[in-house]
């Protein structure tokens, strides 16, 4: 029942989001007026209701997105990406927060600022300092609390400790514990809960990280263990109740887990979420709990107005939630803060000199990277892996492709940000049956199919799931008994992203080259790259 409800919710959310995006695209794609800061929304409540005295500003999955990005997904089909509006970035985010605080101060309104994890990973600015530059940026914004994300572990637990020590604000994670401890022992560099007092009401803000961290990030993780979110909250909740009048969750768990948390703990008033990059145009209500989340990458801010009412006349203190919205950081309305922009330029000038010079041209058809289809970017990467390893098949996961490519001048930065993870190219042998099992694993619920080179495959949807139908390799049907050479990332080779059959590979060769360097070397050698728009993944009717 819950699974059907979740599926129905996703359909309704997709429809609502598509309508919103279409409306915004038409308005903003052709804007030509200079950027003028939009005045912050004045904190007002519905008619007949008490005025808000608290505003929550929340974002998630920043992923080191210091620079604005072209919102190509907002354009109508056929328009060049260069016409897409500029969206977000660190300086726009900083300007928005500053304007909100300035507007709230004369009203006596408390602004609570939170970050939902995955601070870095995906950009040069984030990765070159292993997240330290992002923490320095967040220190400038002075958030009230942040939560760890799974990608905070991409350079290991010692780097997590380093980043937490650099942070000038509470870093939360109630379900990360020491794996080797005989008794439950939280890690020593974070807090399980932060206490935030607003107008006489004490908010106990609890941080939770996805329990799937080891499956969806590169690690290493040392002795850190990621507990089930509901089980961990059950353990800490008695102490949390003593710490505050109201419980707020700051999570990096994904919207479906947030919904389960809301159902399991109806006393929780507000869940400030992350991890699934689910841009909720307005708060999702699960019973009496509100859930908010943004698309991530500094593209927007979830803004929630509330009223803190201290205990009085025998009534307990409470937090009343009044209204919420997702504020999109379109630079035409939310321009960059000049001081932050100057700071970023100074901090990253050496990166720009090294990575932004053109190395050739990129020929690639426009594409949509959502859904279950193959994409030109996926084809390009899988082709490069297969060619470099001289393999029969090349594979990459869609989650490993972290940005969208557009035709035109090609820079090293573009390829870095497409493949930012420090994973190596690996090749190994699998039987045809194991290849089939790997493709089926990629079709599992809530996963995206593997991009493929050297072959193609078809699938059908049946009973709410996806069923692999047929596979071709080199123009011939996949032979379950034959042995094939496969090239992919070291992350997938160990069974990451749920592709367990890859871990069964034999004759494993680590080619000792980073994935992005495979593409950079190819581009430098050929004077550019050409991506195929071939449809290698096809959905067919279940009746076929």
């Amino acid at each position: 029942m819950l699974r059907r409800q979740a599926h129905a919710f996703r359909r309704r959310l997709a429809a609502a989001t598509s309508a919103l995006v279409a409306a915004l695209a038409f308005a903003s794609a052709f804007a030509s007026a200079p950027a003028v800061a939009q005045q912050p929304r004045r904190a007002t409540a519905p008619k007949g209701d008490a005025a808000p005295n608290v505003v929550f500003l929340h974002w998630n999955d920043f992923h080191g997105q210091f620079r604005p990005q072209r919102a190509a997904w907002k354009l109508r089909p056929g328009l060049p990406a260069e016409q897409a509006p500029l969206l977000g970035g660190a300086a726009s985010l900083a300007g928005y927060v500053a304007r909100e605080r300035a507007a709230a101060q004369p009203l006596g309104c408390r602004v609570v600022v939170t970050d939902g994890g995955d601070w870095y990973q995906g950009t040069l600015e984030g990765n070159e300092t292993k997240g330290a530059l992002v923490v320095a940026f967040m220190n400038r914004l002075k958030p009230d609390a942040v939560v760890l994300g799974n990608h905070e572990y991409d350079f290991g637990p010692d780097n997590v400790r380093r980043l937490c020590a650099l942070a000038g604000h509470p870093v939360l994670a109630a379900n990360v514990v020491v794996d080797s401890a005989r008794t439950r022992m939280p890690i020593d560099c974070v807090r399980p809960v932060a206490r935030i007092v607003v107008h006489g009401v004490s908010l106990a803000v609890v941080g939770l990280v996805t329990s799937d961290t080891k499956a969806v990030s590169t690690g290493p993780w040392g002795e850190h263990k990621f507990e089930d979110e509901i089980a961990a909250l059950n353990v800490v909740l008695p102490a949390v109740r003593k710490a505050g009048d109201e419980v707020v969750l700051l999570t990096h768990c994904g919207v479906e887990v947030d919904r389960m948390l809301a159902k399991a703990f109806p006393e929780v008033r507000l869940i400030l979420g992350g991890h699934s990059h689910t841009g909720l145009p307005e708060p999702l209500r699960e019973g009496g709990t509100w859930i908010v989340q943004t698309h991530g990458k500094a593209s927007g801010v979830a803004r929630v107005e509330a009223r803190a009412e201290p205990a009085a006349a025998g009534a307990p203190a409470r937090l009343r939630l009044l209204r919420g919205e997702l504020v999109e950081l379109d630079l035409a309305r939310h321009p960059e803060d000049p001081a932050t922009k100057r700071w970023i330029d100074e901090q990253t000038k050496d990166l720009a000199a090294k990575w932004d010079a053109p190395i050739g041209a990129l020929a690639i058809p426009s594409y949509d990277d959502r859904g279950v289809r193959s994409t030109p970017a996926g084809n390009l990467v899988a082709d490069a892996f297969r060619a470099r390893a001289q393999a029969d098949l090349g594979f990459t996961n869609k989650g490993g492709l972290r940005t969208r490519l557009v035709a035109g001048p090609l820079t090293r930065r573009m390829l870095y940000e497409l493949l930012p993870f420090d994973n190596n190219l690996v090749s190994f042998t699998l039987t045809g049956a194991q290849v089939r099992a790997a493709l089926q694993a990629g079709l599992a619920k809530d996963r995206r199919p593997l991009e493929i080179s050297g072959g193609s495959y078809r699938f059908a949807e049946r009973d709410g799931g996806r069923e692999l139908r047929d596979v071709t390799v080199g123009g011939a049907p996949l032979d379950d008994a034959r042995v094939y050479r496969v090239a992919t990332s070291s992350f997938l080779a160990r069974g990451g992203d749920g592709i367990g059959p890859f871990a069964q590979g034999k004759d494993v060769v680590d080619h000792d080259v980073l994935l992005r360097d495979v593409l950079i070397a190819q581009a430098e050698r050929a004077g550019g790259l050409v991506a195929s728009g071939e449809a290698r993944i096809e959905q067919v009717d279940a009746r076929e």
Side-chain angles (χ1 to χ4, degrees), residues 61-69 87-90 118-135 137 151-152 154-155 277 296-299 344 347-348 351-352 355-356 399-404 412-422 516:
D61 299 276
F62 180 76
H63 283 289
Q65 191 66 47
F66 281 89
R67 294 151 47 115
Q69 56 185 318
L87 201 66
D118 276 4
W119 312 330
Y120 71 97
Q121 186 52 269
T123 67
L124 288 159
E125 289 83 359
N127 288 16
E128 282 285 300
T129 61
K130 299 182 179 179
L133 186 61
V134 179
V135 174
F137 166 66
H151 285 300
E152 268 62 87
D154 282 350
F155 292 103
H277 295 242
K297 301 193 80 171
S299 62
I344 293 169
Q347 295 293 320
T348 62
L351 290 178
W355 291 91
D356 290 341
L401 309 178
R402 305 301 289 190
T403 192
R404 188 184 303 239
R412 294 180 182 88
R413 177 188 288 275
M414 292 169 63
L415 299 178
Y416 185 106
E417 293 185 353
L418 179 68
L419 293 165
F421 300 110
D422 286 343
R516 56 181 171 267

Side-chain angles (χ1 to χ4, degrees), residues 450-518:
L450 289 169
E451 301 270 15
I452 186 172
S453 172
S456 62
Y457 60 99
R458 306 193 306 163
F459 72 93
E461 288 196 355
R462 181 185 294 276
D463 299 328
R466 302 189 192 115
E467 179 182 273
L468 184 66
R469 284 300 177 85
D470 51 67
V471 186
T472 62
V473 180
L478 179 74
D479 183 344
D480 284 356
R482 179 183 161 184
V483 173
Y484 296 90
R485 190 98 196 144
V486 169
T488 190
S489 69
S490 52
F491 172 67
L492 289 180
R494 63 173 174 80
D497 216 14
I499 314 299
F502 279 167
Q504 302 167 8
K506 297 181 179 179
D507 302 320
V508 179
V509 175
D510 186 330
H511 293 265
D512 196 29
V513 59
L514 292 172
L515 303 181
R516 56 181 171 267
D517 288 345
V518 173

Side-chain angles (χ1 to χ4, degrees), residues 3 11 30 52 117 161 247 305 341 442 474 479 522 524 529:
R3 184 173 295 177
R11 289 200 308 270
F30 302 99
R161 292 189 184 91
V247 178
E305 292 181 1
K341 179 68 166 57
D479 183 344
Q522 181 177 328
E524 291 177 334
L529 294 173

Side-chain angles (χ1 to χ4, degrees), residues 57-406:
L57 301 180
H58 172 75
W59 60 85
N60 51 275
D61 299 276
F62 180 76
H63 283 289
Q65 191 66 47
F66 281 89
R67 294 151 47 115
Q69 56 185 318
R70 288 282 177 188
W73 63 91
K74 293 169 63 65
L75 289 174
R76 294 174 307 178
L79 290 177
E82 292 74 17
Q83 290 189 18
L86 280 171
L87 201 66
S92 176
L93 177 60
Y96 177 76
V97 171
R99 288 188 291 273
E100 282 286 329
R101 282 175 168 152
Q105 186 174 8
L107 300 174
C109 198
R110 171 74 156 87
V111 176
V112 177
V113 176
T114 56
D115 173 280
D118 276 4
W119 312 330
Y120 71 97
Q121 186 52 269
T123 67
L124 288 159
E125 289 83 359
N127 288 16
E128 282 285 300
T129 61
K130 299 182 179 179
L133 186 61
V134 179
V135 174
F137 166 66
M138 288 197 295
N139 285 343
R140 293 171 64 91
L141 297 188
K142 298 180 172 56
D144 292 88
V146 305
V147 67
L148 288 181
N150 54 289
H151 285 300
E152 268 62 87
Y153 279 87
D154 282 350
F155 292 103
D158 289 341
N159 191 57
V160 171
R161 292 189 184 91
R162 180 180 73 103
L163 296 179
C164 291
L166 292 172
H169 41 265
V171 179
L172 309 181
N175 64 325
V176 185
V177 299
V178 178
D179 194 17
S180 61
R182 293 186 178 181
T183 59
R184 186 180 187 277
M185 183 183 298
I187 60 173
D188 58 6
C189 58
V190 300
R191 310 182 195 179
V193 60
R195 182 172 177 267
I196 301 173
V197 179
V198 290
H199 296 290
V201 178
S202 178
L203 306 180
V205 182
V206 184
L208 293 170
V209 187
T210 176
S211 57
D212 287 338
T213 289
K214 292 187 178 181
V216 293
S217 55
T218 58
W221 307 277
E223 295 184 336
H224 292 192
K225 175 184 177 182
F226 306 88
E227 296 180 321
D228 175 82
E229 297 90 342
I230 291 178
L233 191 53
N234 267 319
V235 171
V236 303
L237 203 53
V240 168
R241 290 190 181 105
K242 295 177 182 179
D245 301 310
E246 294 275 20
V247 178
V248 173
L249 300 184
L250 181 56
T251 72
H252 190 83
C253 307
V255 72
E256 294 300 333
V257 173
D258 287 344
R259 295 184 72 192
M260 291 191 288
L261 287 165
K263 291 179 179 180
F265 304 97
E267 69 190 87
V268 172
R269 306 295 297 153
L270 178 63
I271 298 179
L272 305 163
H275 183 50
S276 57
H277 295 242
T278 308
L280 298 170
E282 60 183 28
L284 167 65
R285 305 190 187 196
E286 192 68 67
T289 306
W290 288 21
I291 302 169
V292 300
Q293 190 179 157
T294 78
H295 293 288
K297 301 193 80 171
S299 62
V301 175
R303 184 182 187 277
V304 176
E305 292 181 1
R307 181 159 186 87
E309 299 177 342
R318 67 170 182 164
L319 180 72
R320 272 208 293 161
L321 303 176
L322 303 176
R323 66 179 305 278
E325 62 179 331
L326 177 58
V327 178
E328 187 176 67
L329 295 180
D330 189 321
L331 292 195
R333 296 188 300 156
H334 302 290
E336 298 175 307
D337 172 61
T340 302
K341 179 68 166 57
R342 287 193 297 271
W343 178 80
I344 293 169
D345 289 345
E346 177 61 28
Q347 295 293 320
T348 62
K349 59 185 180 182
D350 292 340
L351 290 178
K354 177 181 177 182
W355 291 91
D356 290 341
I359 57 173
L362 174 65
I364 185 169
S366 60
Y367 65 98
D368 185 346
D369 56 6
R370 295 166 291 187
V372 296
R373 66 186 70 81
S374 55
T375 65
N379 292 345
L380 176 69
V381 171
D383 286 347
F385 291 176
R386 181 170 68 94
R388 178 66 178 264
Q390 297 183 330
D392 300 303
L393 291 163
F395 293 104
T396 187
N397 58 324
K398 290 176 179 288
L401 309 178
R402 305 301 289 190
T403 192
R404 188 184 303 239
L405 293 175
V406 295

